[in-house]
Amino acid sequence: MPGEFDLIHWIRAQQTTSDLVKLAAGDDLAILKWPSNDLLLVGCDQVLDGVHFDSTVHPARAIGRKAMNRNLSDCAAMACLPAAALVSVALPKGRDIEYAKELYLGIKEAGDKFDCAIVGGETGTWDGKLALTISILGRSDGIAPVPRGGAKPGNFLYVTGPLGGSLLGRHMTFEPRVALARQLAKGNWRLTSMIDLSDGLSRDLRQICNASGLGAWVNATAVPIHEDAIEMRRDGRAPLEHALHDGEDYELLFTSPDPDVTPAILIGAIVSDPGTWLVMKDRSRVPLEPKGWEHTF
Ligand SMILES: [Mg+2]
């Protein structure tokens, strides 16, 4: 029966490399050549069966792709280039080696699109459910990273695409906005803050506001609504509610002093008073409460 070493052997044979990788996975540690003028950005993200995917519904390859794409989306949120990733998989006992290979191929497929090599990892089996943890290394490559906390009063608030209803399927199939983020950050738009929309516009906007010590208003009629959000109105919640709160859109939310950032959609503005508000069609204001995804313990 094939075991861990057969899987490791197979993974080594699949590895793609990049200019940064001096020694690929297979030794005790991999070795990367890091350009001396590059900032190193690091992060880690975990996906869990029953929380971020459903292993009885989603194929292993799609699960692997999503796990990697969430990390790549964090690179987009900082406007950095994905460089390398480390993958840790907790595999339920009874899943065979072919299942583990499919997970790996999904991770690799997503990474290869961005020249992001998998340079290490670990696979263990246990009595629990499937869990994947990926650590990502990103590099600035000539573009200053865009953190969450730099928004200024009077900045305009933008999103990069339509929102809501991702549960219909997009939460598994989204494309990380790395190229667009880099285009935005190196343009003349002087981005002051940015985040990727994983937890929902209402919750992620709070992250920008809290980090910047400011508030924001959002124009209800300007929020771009995805057709999936319209489809999901059958659950009794309006499409706008889905767009504001669903999450896992993986579009970018950012701020700029420029009123005309052409690749994005203007939805509101940053203000000095704390709190987040929705401005309705009749110009009345209602509090925009964060109702997006939050892990509870
Ligand atoms: Mg993020």
Side-chain angles (χ1 to χ4, degrees):
M1 196 175 152
E4 189 191 349
F5 287 102
D6 299 286
L7 180 62
I8 292 170
H9 183 74
W10 178 85
I11 286 175
R12 280 185 198 161
Q14 308 303 310
Q15 281 187 101
T16 39
T17 186
S18 76
D19 292 345
L20 289 178
V21 181
K22 190 171 179 204
L23 182 64
D27 211 305
D28 292 297
L29 297 174
I31 304 177
L32 304 182
K33 286 177 285 193
W34 208 257
S36 60
N37 50 354
D38 259 2
L39 295 172
L40 164 65
L41 293 91
V42 294
C44 181
D45 186 82
Q46 185 183 52
V47 290
L48 304 171
D49 191 5
V51 179
H52 303 93
F53 60 87
D54 179 348
S55 67
T56 65
V57 174
H58 302 122
R61 201 174 288 215
I63 294 167
R65 258 196 316 260
K66 176 174 185 176
M68 185 62 164
N69 277 333
R70 280 169 58 95
N71 282 273
L72 297 168
S73 184
D74 281 332
C75 289
M78 300 299 288
C80 73
L81 274 185
L86 300 132
V87 177
S88 174
V89 178
L91 202 63
K93 278 191 184 126
R95 290 287 192 189
D96 61 11
I97 193 168
E98 294 308 315
Y99 190 87
K101 286 179 181 178
E102 282 294 305
L103 285 171
Y104 176 84
L105 287 173
I107 295 165
K108 180 173 145 46
E109 253 174 46
D112 281 351
K113 283 192 183 177
F114 296 90
D115 207 16
C116 180
I118 302 164
V119 294
E122 170 93 75
T123 305
T125 55
W126 72 321
D127 288 329
K129 286 181 164 188
L130 177 61
L132 290 84
T133 308
I134 299 185
S135 301
I136 191 101
L137 312 181
R139 62 196 192 98
S140 52
D141 194 34
I143 294 177
V146 184
R148 297 175 181 181
K152 300 279 181 294
N155 278 178
F156 298 94
L157 184 67
Y158 294 90
V159 287
T160 53
L163 310 178
S166 70
L167 261 184
L168 291 186
R170 272 161 41 244
H171 75 108
M172 297 297 296
T173 60
F174 64 93
E175 295 285 335
R177 301 284 185 233
V178 173
L180 179 55
R182 303 271 297 170
Q183 181 197 346
L184 288 163
K186 81 171 175 208
N188 294 323
W189 294 299
R190 293 166 288 148
L191 268 54
T192 49
S193 71
M194 186 152 64
I195 191 169
D196 64 320
L197 288 173
S198 52
D199 299 338
L201 173 62
S202 59
R203 197 167 286 282
D204 290 323
L205 176 58
R206 282 282 174 105
Q207 301 280 2
I208 284 183
C209 288
N210 291 342
S212 303
L214 298 166
W217 58 261
V218 171
N219 186 348
T221 58
V223 175
I225 292 172
H226 197 280
E227 60 192 30
D228 289 342
I230 297 169
E231 174 89 16
M232 278 186 77
R233 69 170 9 136
R234 58 179 180 225
D235 71 0
R237 290 167 60 225
L240 178 64
E241 288 287 304
H242 284 288
L244 292 172
H245 307 299
D246 280 359
E248 298 222 72
D249 300 294
Y250 300 103
E251 294 292 344
L252 301 168
L253 176 71
F254 68 91
T255 56
S256 162
D258 193 316
D260 189 26
V261 181
T262 43
I265 303 145
L266 177 63
I267 60 163
I270 298 294
V271 294
S272 49
D273 292 338
T276 47
W277 301 86
L278 197 58
V279 179
M280 309 306 287
K281 205 174 176 182
D282 63 6
R283 305 203 65 76
S284 62
R285 293 201 320 176
V286 296
L288 177 56
E289 298 294 346
K291 289 184 202 156
W293 177 257
E294 183 176 29
H295 287 276
T296 47
F297 297 98

